[in-house]
Amino acid sequence: MAPHRLLLVAALVTASATAPAAQMAEPARPQDDLYRAVNASWLATAEIPPDVPYLTTFIELHLQAEADVRAVLDDAVAAVQAGEAVPGSPSQQIGALYLSLADSAAIARAGLDPLAADLARIDAVRSPADLARYLGASHGQFGAAALSASVAQDLRRPTRHVVYLMQGGTSLPDPSYYTDADKAPLREAYTAALAELLRLAGADEPRSQADAAVRVEAALAAHQRTPTELRDIEAAYNPRAVADLARATDGFDVRAYLAAAGLAAVDTVVVAQPEFVDGLAAAVRTLPTADWRAYLRASLLAEAAPVLPDAYGDALFAFSQALTGQAEQRGRAKRAADAVGAMLGETVGEVFLDRHFPDASRARMAEMIENLRAALRISITGADWMTEPTRAAALAKLDAARFKIGGPEAPERVEAEFRSGDAAGNLRRFAAWRRADELAKLVELVDPAEWQMTPQTVNAYHDPARNEVVFPAAILRPPFFDPTADDATNYGAIGAIIGHEFSHGFDDQGRRFDAGGTLRDWWTPADAAAYEARVAPIVAQYERYRPIPGDSAHVNGTLTLGENISDLAGLAIAHRAYRLSLGGADAPVLDGLTGDQRFFMSWGRAWRSKAPEPFVRYLLGADTHSPGEFRANGPVGHLQAFVDAFSVRPGDALWIAPADRIAVW
């Protein structure tokens, strides 16, 4: 089962959260707590909207972008309702899709009828071969994804695509949620939610079926890699001939599964987690088929909840609330808008870009990115721990790195029919088109112009297989970026994010990809050992951070290592780039603050966050980023520029002795 759509707002941002009790402390000195020194007023007055799980700078910008997208939707809806939208045009697609997903009355009238054929297919699953075919056919439709067969860029041949088989089948955040005693209340809340879905659907003995569904998930989870283990990209590249895989997978008909998934002609796949495929086969052999049918029913109802009557979404939200502490469920209209923005992301994004992304922002960002590239070049050139062969390859990778700003030049067109009043049909037709588009890539070269995020997404990313950094338009707004603002403010916020994304190409996982995006080890053994020794203390530093006062829960330093490395490196690179932007001149003093003080204060403001305690606990196990306060405070003590800017001295909380400071780049 895929993660519930009601939780997807949490995936839109990269900042984690801070417990409320910690946020109510008195304003601090920057020398002791930069985060609270610059965010004291916000922390004291900001309120988490009841229909989002937490509040951060990213969420604030997301809500702003959401309002902008809503205006795009309103215009499209008006055109559809006035009969002015040409069938198949962007306006007609946007308007019809939104109207269908927001139409509670029509969805209520349809009831469970849209799933009648799906439920009949589940009832017909009577053997392991039936199950394999059902799971394969569920790709591109509603239903369980116990194993994911997806088409993506081949990490060893980055100009081509390949099929990846990846673990799936569970909805709780990680395997520990199915076993650990302290997570038993969340297991119960989840099981109760599934039981309610099944009761609403008229299932016999819904609680018994929910228990069976969770047993299946637990059997799958027992063979899944943890979030920390999933960070090892090389361990996820295991090419296997389908013929060999079929012979080795006793109990699970791999050929039938692939054929039903539209992949009958594929002779080689990359198995991302071989032990999970073995575990899935074992679960198919040992668990009763009746348990699997219960699991398939629960999975279907959870996946289809957005196009079912409100009671189904309410049941899922009860679990979401237990997991995250979110006060209220988002209304159907907001959930519909989110779905349109995801499904027709580039279609909506084209209008968003026209309305909200000026040419001046693109030009200023391009200038900053090149300054950041120059700053990282200086860092790599001066790295005394790196030998010349590795340094030359690193500089070649840096020079080859591409960047994208704002949104795609040629937005993707969704070739699916959308009709008002047919929410379930619209999702089916979209999913079928998406799957066909994905499968077609098997015979196509990788398109370097393709984007992985929409323009209205408040985020940024580094793609190691494409060797590119990408900045959607929606993150390029104050307080992260303002084309009219002081350089210190921009470099301390978006500049550090640019540096963060650039440095991902050289973090503990990104460094495994070369200039062309090929997954290969291009470091000498001595350089790799020197690098690993250099970053190892970062794990221990972040393990000491406890976001919930009086509680032993702490940051997972290994899970967050890549992001922590990039925070430190990105901030250092951004500061050097800021100095380069001054062209040798002294920075102006504004409002009594030096340029360096404004730079670091801008960094601290970027990570302000508030969250209920359940969500903090959830993110500590699931998020590869550290909580916001530690993203703000964690790196700064390693930078001499911060020490000088605020006269940090021994005894101050953010003081780090020179011998203990870490300089990655």
Side-chain angles (χ1 to χ4, degrees):
M1 213 180 298
H4 295 314
R5 291 181 174 90
L6 296 173
L7 296 177
L8 287 183
V9 68
L12 292 173
V13 296
T14 59
S16 291
T18 302
Q23 295 165 347
M24 298 310 294
E26 291 298 318
R29 301 186 314 146
Q31 298 93 322
D32 296 319
D33 188 340
L34 175 68
Y35 175 78
R36 288 179 177 79
V38 300
N39 294 317
S41 176
W42 186 90
L43 292 170
T45 59
E47 296 183 1
I48 303 173
D51 62 351
V52 298
Y54 68 138
L55 188 64
T56 68
T57 309
F58 287 81
I59 290 289
E60 289 176 320
L61 286 180
H62 169 68
L63 296 175
Q64 180 182 345
E66 188 178 70
D68 294 333
V69 166
R70 181 58 204 236
V72 177
L73 302 188
D74 288 344
D75 290 346
V77 166
V80 169
Q81 292 177 329
E84 298 171 353
V86 176
S89 67
S91 289
Q92 187 276 329
Q93 288 185 318
I94 293 168
L97 178 58
Y98 173 77
L99 285 169
S100 72
L101 295 174
D103 192 345
S104 293
I107 289 172
R109 286 192 300 270
L112 204 61
D113 290 349
L115 300 187
D118 302 89
L119 291 167
R121 287 174 53 227
I122 291 172
D123 288 341
V125 172
R126 299 289 166 174
S127 69
D130 292 341
L131 177 61
R133 284 190 290 270
Y134 178 93
L135 292 175
S138 293
H139 285 80
Q141 292 295 331
F142 299 127
L147 182 65
S148 170
S150 60
V151 178
Q153 188 172 8
D154 189 331
L155 300 184
R156 298 287 190 192
R157 301 181 302 163
T159 63
R160 306 184 67 83
H161 295 90
V162 71
V163 174
Y164 288 87
L165 295 186
M166 294 178 288
Q167 69 183 39
T170 58
S171 284
L172 295 179
D174 66 60
S176 70
Y177 281 75
Y178 293 91
T179 57
D180 289 3
D182 65 332
K183 296 182 173 69
L186 289 171
R187 283 196 297 279
E188 170 56 30
Y190 178 56
T191 307
L194 296 187
E196 179 63 7
L197 291 178
L198 291 160
R199 185 195 70 79
L200 290 167
D204 295 332
E205 301 182 349
R207 176 64 197 217
S208 176
Q209 288 204 39
D211 288 337
V214 175
R215 279 198 300 273
V216 172
E217 289 198 30
L220 298 176
H223 302 281
Q224 289 180 341
R225 293 181 185 173
T226 67
T228 300
E229 291 168 336
L230 289 172
R231 292 194 65 251
D232 188 343
I233 192 69
E234 288 184 313
Y237 194 89
N238 306 286
R240 297 284 299 276
V242 170
D244 293 340
L245 187 63
R247 283 191 292 270
T249 312
D250 181 28
F252 183 68
D253 192 335
V254 171
R255 290 190 185 279
Y257 166 80
L258 290 173
L263 297 165
V266 172
D267 58 11
T268 301
V269 295
V270 175
V271 183
Q273 298 89 24
E275 68 277 18
F276 179 80
V277 178
D278 293 340
L280 170 62
V284 172
R285 288 195 306 271
T286 58
L287 291 175
T289 306
D291 282 8
W292 280 100
R293 286 197 298 273
Y295 164 75
L296 298 178
R297 289 189 194 99
S299 299
L300 172 68
L301 296 169
E303 287 298 301
V307 293
L308 294 178
D310 289 343
Y312 290 85
D314 293 343
L316 287 180
F317 181 70
F319 162 64
S320 174
Q321 191 170 44
L323 180 65
T324 69
Q326 183 173 320
E328 296 178 5
Q329 183 179 189
R330 309 205 91 199
R332 186 177 283 277
K334 288 185 177 180
R335 300 199 308 270
D338 286 343
V340 174
M343 294 167 63
L344 297 174
E346 294 190 9
T347 303
V348 173
E350 186 174 16
V351 183
F352 179 88
L353 283 169
D354 287 343
R355 295 181 180 181
H356 303 290
F357 192 60
D359 290 340
S361 292
R362 190 184 302 275
R364 183 75 178 277
M365 273 293 292
E367 177 186 344
M368 291 183 68
I369 288 171
E370 290 303 343
N371 275 343
L372 266 293
R373 193 199 302 265
L376 182 51
R377 169 172 277 278
I378 293 170
S379 297
I380 293 172
T381 302
D384 58 6
W385 53 272
M386 182 176 276
T387 61
E388 288 308 316
T390 305
R391 189 192 321 279
L395 291 172
K397 180 174 182 176
L398 178 64
D399 289 341
R402 299 183 299 269
F403 61 85
K404 296 174 181 173
I405 304 169
E409 294 183 6
E412 177 184 59
R413 296 298 178 215
V414 175
E415 297 175 6
E417 181 185 5
F418 298 100
R419 307 170 192 160
S420 301
D422 188 14
N426 286 337
L427 261 61
R428 286 187 191 280
R429 288 186 290 275
F430 171 80
W433 169 81
R434 174 62 73 194
R435 182 62 174 175
D437 183 66
E438 180 184 356
L439 295 179
K441 291 181 179 178
L442 278 172
V443 294
E444 298 173 355
L445 295 178
V446 170
D447 180 3
E450 194 173 53
W451 280 60
Q452 309 302 319
M453 285 181 181
T454 68
Q456 61 271 23
T457 301
V458 183
N459 211 330
Y461 68 92
H462 167 261
D463 187 334
R466 294 172 186 257
N467 192 17
E468 66 183 14
V469 292
V470 184
F471 305 94
I475 197 175
L476 303 179
R477 291 175 159 183
F480 288 121
F481 173 72
D482 181 348
T484 66
D486 168 46
D487 270 344
T489 301
N490 277 331
Y491 276 94
I494 196 65
I497 292 173
I498 297 169
H500 174 108
E501 300 304 337
F502 258 134
S503 66
H504 266 314
F506 305 92
D507 69 10
D508 63 322
Q509 295 301 315
R511 70 177 181 82
R512 302 175 191 273
F513 293 81
D514 66 16
T518 300
L519 178 64
R520 71 174 183 88
D521 189 358
W522 50 273
W523 289 52
T524 67
D527 287 332
Y531 175 87
E532 289 166 4
R534 207 171 191 84
V535 302
I538 296 177
V539 174
Q541 175 186 343
Y542 283 81
E543 291 273 348
R544 293 193 294 270
Y545 294 150
R546 288 168 168 72
I548 304 172
D551 192 281
S552 62
H554 60 84
V555 175
N556 182 331
T558 303
L559 174 64
T560 60
L561 178 60
E563 299 299 333
N564 297 333
I565 291 171
S566 289
D567 277 347
L568 172 57
L571 187 61
I573 295 163
H575 184 264
R576 174 173 280 131
Y578 167 56
R579 291 285 180 86
L580 290 175
S581 75
L582 295 173
D586 292 333
V589 175
L590 303 177
D591 298 324
L593 298 171
T594 68
D596 281 0
Q597 288 173 333
R598 297 194 305 279
F599 172 91
F600 287 108
M601 292 172 72
S602 184
W603 165 257
R605 278 191 295 271
W607 305 113
R608 60 195 185 197
S609 57
K610 276 190 173 183
E613 185 176 306
F615 197 66
V616 177
R617 293 186 184 279
Y618 160 66
L619 286 178
L620 285 176
D623 197 354
T624 57
H625 305 83
S626 296
E629 63 175 301
F630 307 126
R631 298 193 73 174
N633 286 341
V636 292
H638 294 285
L639 274 64
Q640 185 64 39
F642 174 77
V643 172
D644 294 341
F646 293 103
S647 300
V648 184
R649 298 289 181 264
D652 295 337
L654 292 180
W655 169 261
I656 297 177
D660 296 327
R661 293 176 194 165
I662 300 167
V664 184
W665 298 113

